[in-house]
Amino acid sequence: MPSITGWLAGSPRNAFDMKLLRRDIYAITLHSASKITKEIQVYLIKGRDEHLLIDIGFHSASAADELCTALKQLNVELKDVRLFLTHLHVDHCGNAQHFAPCLKEILASEWDGCMITHKLNKTTAYYIRKNRLLAGIPRSVCVKLKSESEIFEGGDGVFAFTPIHAHERLRVGDYTFEVIDLAGHSPQQIGLYEINEHFMFAADSVLNQIYPTINFWMEEFSSMQDNFDTLKRICDFDCEIVYPAHYGPISDIKERCMQTLDHHMKKGKYLLDVVKQGSGTAYDFAMRMQWGRQLSRFDRLSCPQQWFACMELLAHLERFYHLGILSRELIDGHWYYHIKE
């Protein structure tokens, strides 16, 4: 692995967890010092002549070291690995640039893949700056966010990837997977469904313990509506078990999808009640609301939590705007919303 050994030199040797989930399928847990996400499960499906790795983990040498150690134990060489990137978030794709020269192929959805490989000439930082203004978030929050969060990170390498689309199929060993559309958590998040044994790799579309964040990205994508559609679509699958990227497998996927839908519907109703009190920006509404199980004031949330809260509210507000429930006007670069008469 000539392209990554120099980068790995001197990196700490972390303990990692690896479990055999079913025939030839392994869950590998990679760790991070991140304040937002501490660990992620990536999945390796062993084939005969080639293997499939679902996501590659954080942008860090220690996570790369954990992955290399796991692959070595499984007698898997990188040159025989196809990497399937579920979406653009750095905990899923951060190390892709370092492994890219060694891998057989990298697969990703069109838009997320172009964002990951910097082929859109618009980085995550660009959307953060643009959406900060639309949401009415003070510049000081964004400056602090950059120092406290890795969401500005993601590597600086441009590498080749192969676009893959919903309904395409991948064969790995004895398994046949169909690519599934999981849009919402990112604009074109994708996953895999095994058509014969009825299990799914669902990335961050639905999780145990917590509800995935749904961020506004741009007007062309209706993040919250896409999220609702994805959760309903997952319920239509005949699924024995679902393997997400965090917090372990989900056995009753229909129940968890309905719980997640209910969570977002209640948050949306709460937001509408706040909007009825007077017009404002996403940031204005966030300041009026209580957050989390402790019903904390917004200003007591961490800076990354404040950011994700505002972006999720913006996704809700845009859904209500396109449903004709809210009106929107642009004032000094900020979107102001009010109940439509």
Side-chain angles (χ1 to χ4, degrees), residues 63-341:
D65 180 73
E66 289 180 319
L67 180 59
C68 288
T69 304
L71 296 180
K72 185 176 181 180
Q73 286 190 15
L74 295 172
N75 295 314
V76 168
E77 295 188 49
L78 289 174
K79 66 180 180 64
D80 301 321
V81 172
R82 300 172 81 192
L83 173 61
F84 181 93
L85 293 175
T86 61
H87 64 290
L88 53 77
H89 291 155
V90 70
D91 53 328
H92 294 256
C93 68
N95 266 335
Q97 62 171 345
H98 298 289
F99 283 86
C102 309
L103 298 169
K104 184 169 186 175
E105 186 178 24
I106 296 177
L107 306 169
S109 65
E110 189 103 38
W111 196 86
D112 281 39
C114 285
M115 279 291 292
I116 293 166
T117 57
H118 303 282
K119 292 178 180 174
L120 292 180
N121 297 320
K122 292 179 180 178
T123 64
T124 300
Y126 164 83
Y127 287 103
I128 288 174
R129 289 191 296 270
K130 179 179 72 72
N131 294 339
R132 176 198 71 77
L133 192 62
L134 292 175
I137 301 172
R139 186 183 300 274
S140 59
V141 173
C142 207
V143 170
K144 192 176 181 186
L145 178 72
K146 189 169 184 179
S147 66
E148 291 188 5
S149 171
E150 75 279 8
I151 67 172
F152 279 87
E153 299 177 7
D156 53 7
V158 176
F159 52 87
F161 78 98
T162 302
I164 194 165
H165 306 91
H167 308 301
E168 289 188 44
R169 292 193 172 181
L170 296 173
R171 281 196 61 85
V172 189
D174 297 327
Y175 296 108
T176 301
F177 295 98
E178 179 178 324
V179 179
I180 52 176
D181 174 6
L182 298 176
H185 181 67
S186 82
Q188 288 186 359
Q189 179 176 237
I190 52 176
L192 292 171
Y193 175 71
E194 212 292 324
I195 64 173
N196 299 307
E197 298 192 19
H198 309 298
F199 61 90
M200 181 185 295
F201 294 102
D204 286 357
S205 58
V206 59
L207 304 173
N208 279 318
Q209 300 183 32
I210 67 168
Y211 300 108
T213 58
I214 307 300
N215 291 337
F216 172 82
W217 276 87
M218 56 194 297
E219 288 185 83
E220 287 82 351
F221 298 108
S222 180
S223 302
M224 191 58 67
Q225 187 60 55
D226 287 346
N227 175 55
F228 287 174
D229 293 343
T230 285
L231 292 168
K232 293 172 184 176
R233 190 163 50 248
I234 290 173
C235 287
D236 291 336
F237 281 90
D238 176 15
C239 223
E240 169 198 322
I241 195 164
V242 168
Y243 301 110
H246 311 277
Y247 302 109
I250 302 171
S251 54
D252 192 338
I253 187 59
K254 288 181 173 61
E255 179 183 17
R256 189 57 182 162
C257 283
M258 295 311 295
Q259 290 171 348
T260 305
L261 276 167
D262 184 62
H263 164 81
H264 288 298
M265 293 295 286
K266 286 179 178 175
K267 179 64 68 67
K269 183 178 182 301
Y270 179 23
L271 173 60
L272 281 180
D273 289 341
V274 171
V275 177
K276 289 174 184 176
Q277 298 169 14
S279 67
T281 65
Y283 184 78
D284 293 331
F285 300 137
M287 290 286 287
R288 300 178 199 169
M289 298 170 72
Q290 294 179 315
W291 293 90
R293 295 175 183 173
Q294 305 302 318
L295 298 179
S296 300
R297 285 182 3 207
F298 181 74
D299 58 8
R300 292 183 179 175
L301 300 179
S302 70
C303 189
Q305 287 174 328
Q306 289 184 10
W307 173 263
F308 289 123
C310 287
M311 287 301 103
E312 187 158 298
L313 289 191
L314 195 55
H316 275 292
L317 291 164
E318 279 297 285
R319 176 173 178 268
F320 290 135
Y321 168 68
H322 288 289
L323 288 173
I325 297 171
L326 298 180
S327 293
R328 184 188 74 191
E329 56 184 328
L330 185 67
I331 302 175
D332 296 330
H334 309 320
W335 277 343
Y336 283 82
Y337 298 85
H338 58 269
I339 299 294
K340 193 168 185 178
E341 299 298 333

